[in-house]
């Protein structure tokens, strides 16, 4: 399968090149030339298949032409060693819990899958002997969740070194320990600045000729096809679970399923849209945003107007210029004159106060604990679900990852809150922090990388 650039000014790339390079040379995002339909027989029996079996069929449609079947099966089974259960919250609203992986957030799947696929391409398919012996270096800027998922997904993977850049003092201690205590092939770089400084250092590094001659560099955020496409597994599995539930619950109509995704860079929802093109019967999408409402405004006005991000309590969605917008626009033909109003996508945007209210109301009325990101999804479904529809939102991270915020919000009604920290998270907190101090000056970062 070839991958074209959303900017259409370079030749299509192989999967291998798309994964190793991340971004096309014309700064566009890679898109598969064909989105394969899955057969009706797959959807007829999907409710009887395991998460891994479903994911393998989906992975085969994406990557089967380019990756050996046994290797692909191993990659899928190695990635999905945990569950993504669908949980009833209220009425016809369900939560798809994507926080049962190693770092308790949905990015675990894409990060692990990408680590394994990248390893496959550098080990088995090296185009020359020198390339085979060269280490690939992954640079990732993070405000929390991306860094922990990528660091854990790539931990111990031979031939790849990861540099996680994060803003000093701006990442919660619970998140920080998930990528600063690992050691091995993971280096945490503590930048004296804000998230935007970290991102600028990474972008400058990708564009620096001398650095790129010195070392092979790639990125592991959702611009990379190997990171965002595997997220589609979740949606097929959600459908399978709802279909299974519909056998004993006649209020669930599998042809009336609405999918609501708390979105930041829009990689997750974009993978669901690919799923729909492959035949997954999702009736419509809701993209739920925090106060960073660029996509919401686009749906209302047809104008895409990126802005600097605003800091919110759902900070993994603090994105002012979503990187996957170009992919979604390409998929729906918005750049060729098609109207976003006819795309079957609606939006929602919430202030911090509204997010907090949703978390409190949901907890009081249903007992279900939301994190600030999932709360945007929950609230959007509560407001927009129509009679006869069944909706699921993505609970994208475990509430304990945002313990301070969650406890503060849930305590305001006079009942002190102290949500439990899962063992997996507590284990990270026992480790010793190791990081490299860095200024926000690119010359310093470059000098450091040139010494590696
Ligand atoms: C990354 C993240 C999101 C946003 O996902 P995108 O794919 O960037 O839209 C939402 N919630 C949490 C907890 C995240 O870590």
């Amino acid at each position: 399968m070839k991958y074209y650039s959303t900017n259409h000014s370079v030749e299509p790339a192989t999967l291998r090149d798309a994964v190793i390079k991340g971004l096309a040379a014309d700064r566009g995002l890679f898109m598969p030339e064909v989105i394969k339909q899955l057969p009706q027989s797959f959807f007829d029996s999907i409710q009887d298949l395991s998460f891994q079996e479903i994911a393998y069929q989906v992975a085969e449609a994406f990557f089967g032409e380019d990756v050996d079947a046994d290797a692909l099966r191993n990659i899928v089974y190695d990635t999905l060693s945990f569950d993504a259960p669908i949980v009833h919250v209220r009425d016809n609203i369900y939560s798809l819990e994507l926080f049962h992986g190693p770092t308790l957030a949905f990015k675990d799947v894409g990060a692990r899958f990408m680590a394994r696929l990248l390893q496959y391409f550098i080990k088995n398919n090296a185009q020359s002997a020198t390339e085979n012996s060269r280490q690939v270096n992954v640079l990732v800027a993070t405000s929390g969740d991306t860094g922990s998922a990528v660091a854990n997904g790539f931990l111990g993977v031979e031939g790849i070194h990861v540099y996680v850049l994060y803003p000093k003092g701006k990442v919660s201690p619970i998140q920080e320990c998930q990528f600063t205590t690992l050691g091995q092939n993971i280096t945490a770089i503590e930048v004296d600045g804000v998230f935007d400084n970290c991102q600028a250092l990474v972008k400058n590094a990708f564009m620096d000729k001398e650095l790129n001659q010195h070392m092979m560099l790639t990125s592991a955020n959702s611009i990379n096809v190997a990171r965002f496409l595997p997220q589609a597994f979740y949606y097929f599995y959600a459908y399978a679970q709802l279909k299974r539930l519909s056998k004993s619950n006649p209020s669930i109509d599998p042809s009336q399923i609405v999918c609501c995704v708390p979105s930041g860079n829009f990689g997750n929802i974009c993978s669901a849209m690919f799923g729909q093109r492959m035949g997954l019967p999702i009736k419509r999408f809701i993209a739920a945003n925090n106060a960073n409402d660029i996509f919401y405004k686009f749906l209302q006005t047809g104008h895409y107007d990126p802005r600097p991000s605003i800091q919110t309590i759902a900070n993994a969605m603090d994105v002012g210029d979503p990187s996957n917008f170009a992919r979604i626009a390409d998929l729906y033909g918005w750049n060729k004159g098609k109207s976003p109003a006819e795309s079957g996508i609606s939006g929602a945007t919430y202030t911090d106060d509204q997010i907090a209210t949703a978390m409190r109301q949901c907890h009081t009325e249903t007992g279900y604990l939301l994190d600030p990101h999932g709360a945007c999804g929950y609230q959007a479904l509560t407001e927009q679900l129509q009679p006869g529809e069944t909706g699921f939102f993505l609970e994208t991270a475990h509430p304990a990852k945002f313990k301070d915020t969650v406890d503060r919000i849930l305590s305001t009604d006079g009942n002190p809150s102290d949500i439990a920290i899962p063992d997996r998270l507590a284990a990270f907190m026992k480790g010793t922090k190791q990081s490299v101090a860095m200024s926000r000056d690119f010359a310093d970062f470059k000098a450091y990388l040139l010494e590696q």
Side-chain angles (χ1 to χ4, degrees):
M1 177 100 62
K2 285 287 177 65
Y3 289 77
Y4 65 88
S5 160
T6 51
N7 286 344
H8 300 281
S9 50
V10 285
E11 285 298 304
T14 60
L15 173 63
R16 180 182 191 282
D17 281 351
V19 173
I20 291 181
K21 294 194 177 122
L23 204 61
D26 61 0
R27 317 296 300 162
L29 275 71
F30 287 114
M31 290 284 274
E33 282 190 330
V34 179
I35 303 176
K36 283 190 193 159
Q37 283 278 317
L38 286 161
Q40 188 54 43
S41 56
F42 170 69
F43 293 106
D44 288 345
S45 63
I46 194 169
Q47 68 280 3
D48 303 323
L49 303 178
S50 70
F51 189 16
Q52 290 91 340
E53 287 165 331
I54 293 169
Y56 177 70
Q57 301 288 325
V58 177
E60 156 74 27
F62 285 138
F63 307 120
E65 280 179 25
D66 303 292
V67 184
D68 168 72
D70 285 341
L72 189 57
R73 189 177 290 276
N74 281 337
I75 293 171
V76 169
Y77 279 67
D78 171 68
T79 299
L80 301 180
S81 54
F82 46 86
D83 199 15
I86 208 151
V87 175
H88 182 242
V89 179
R90 72 184 305 159
D91 308 317
N92 264 14
I93 298 181
Y94 291 79
S95 167
L96 179 66
E97 292 185 348
L98 305 188
F99 54 68
H100 297 277
T103 74
L104 312 175
F106 83 88
K107 292 185 177 79
D108 284 327
V109 158
R112 184 67 179 172
F113 192 96
M114 179 184 161
R116 287 291 173 200
L117 193 63
L118 189 56
Q119 185 188 37
Y120 170 82
F121 281 130
I122 57 182
K123 278 251 158 202
N124 304 342
N125 279 39
Q127 279 160 358
S128 67
T130 37
E131 199 173 70
N132 197 11
S133 63
R134 276 187 91 185
Q135 170 177 288
V136 173
N137 300 280
V138 171
L139 302 183
V140 61
T142 189
S143 54
D145 267 6
T146 303
S148 47
V150 169
N152 283 275
F154 283 79
L155 182 65
V157 176
E158 245 176 81
I160 306 177
H161 197 97
V162 176
Y163 297 90
V164 180
L165 285 80
Y166 71 103
K168 181 179 175 167
K170 301 276 190 307
V171 170
S172 78
I174 292 181
Q175 289 191 314
E176 188 178 2
C177 67
Q178 291 179 85
F179 53 81
T180 56
T181 58
L182 301 170
Q184 299 185 54
N185 60 330
I186 312 298
T187 303
I189 299 189
E190 189 171 19
V191 176
D192 190 6
V194 295
F195 171 71
D196 292 340
N197 299 119
C198 301
Q199 194 147 39
L201 290 177
V202 169
K203 281 190 177 158
N204 282 324
F206 289 137
M207 290 188 298
D208 190 275
K209 268 218 172 90
E210 191 186 352
L211 210 47
N212 282 274
Q213 275 159 7
H214 175 74
M215 63 207 301
M216 248 158 98
L217 295 175
T218 192
S219 88
N221 60 33
S222 58
I223 60 164
N224 199 301
V225 290
R227 226 206 81 190
F228 100 91
L229 282 175
Q231 292 167 1
F233 303 159
Y234 287 135
Y235 299 88
F236 285 87
Y237 185 48
Y239 174 73
Q241 292 181 74
L242 284 173
K243 203 173 163 209
R244 202 179 303 154
L245 287 173
S246 75
K247 307 285 176 203
S248 57
N249 180 350
S251 74
I252 301 175
D253 177 349
S255 72
Q256 296 291 316
I257 291 174
V258 177
C259 168
C260 180
V261 188
S263 296
N265 265 319
F266 283 72
N268 206 356
I269 196 169
C270 187
S271 75
M273 292 163 172
F274 272 76
Q276 192 191 40
R277 293 293 166 99
M278 295 162 88
L280 184 68
I282 301 271
K283 185 185 170 194
R284 58 189 185 92
F285 290 105
I286 305 174
N289 285 143
N290 58 24
N292 293 277
D293 59 358
I294 288 77
F295 189 79
Y296 175 82
K297 289 243 170 77
F298 168 78
L299 291 176
Q300 316 299 313
T301 65
H303 296 294
Y304 183 73
D305 188 15
R307 264 163 295 142
S309 63
I310 304 165
Q311 222 179 351
T312 76
I313 55 171
N315 65 359
M317 290 156 45
D318 293 351
V319 180
D321 185 5
S323 46
N324 285 288
F325 181 79
R327 277 199 176 107
I328 299 176
D330 191 85
L331 202 60
Y332 285 90
W334 295 336
N335 39 6
K336 295 196 193 102
K338 291 229 176 99
S339 160
E342 286 150 32
S343 307
I345 309 168
S346 62
T349 172
Y350 299 108
T351 62
D352 280 359
D353 279 351
Q354 290 171 315
I355 294 172
T357 303
M359 288 166 67
R360 276 194 293 268
Q361 274 179 357
C362 180
H363 189 244
T364 318
E365 292 166 14
T366 74
Y368 193 76
L369 204 58
L370 294 162
D371 95 290
H373 306 80
C376 297
Y378 166 82
Q379 188 57 26
L381 274 182
T382 305
E383 292 169 10
Q384 298 187 21
L385 202 65
Q386 299 296 315
E389 293 177 334
T390 296
F392 72 91
F393 65 94
L394 274 58
E395 188 31 298
T396 45
H398 194 291
K401 287 194 94 169
F402 305 93
K403 180 174 167 52
D404 292 349
T405 306
V406 175
D407 282 341
R408 179 173 51 76
I409 287 169
L410 295 186
S411 294
T412 52
D413 53 9
N415 304 309
S417 167
D418 182 15
I419 59 167
I421 295 187
D423 294 348
R424 215 171 311 144
L425 208 47
F428 284 114
M429 297 170 81
K430 292 198 192 99
T432 313
K433 173 178 156 178
Q434 311 165 46
S435 65
V436 177
M438 189 65 61
S439 79
R440 67 186 79 173
D441 187 350
F442 179 63
D444 289 341
F445 183 49
K446 179 173 171 178
Y448 169 79
L449 286 179
L450 286 173
E451 279 166 24
Q452 305 304 308

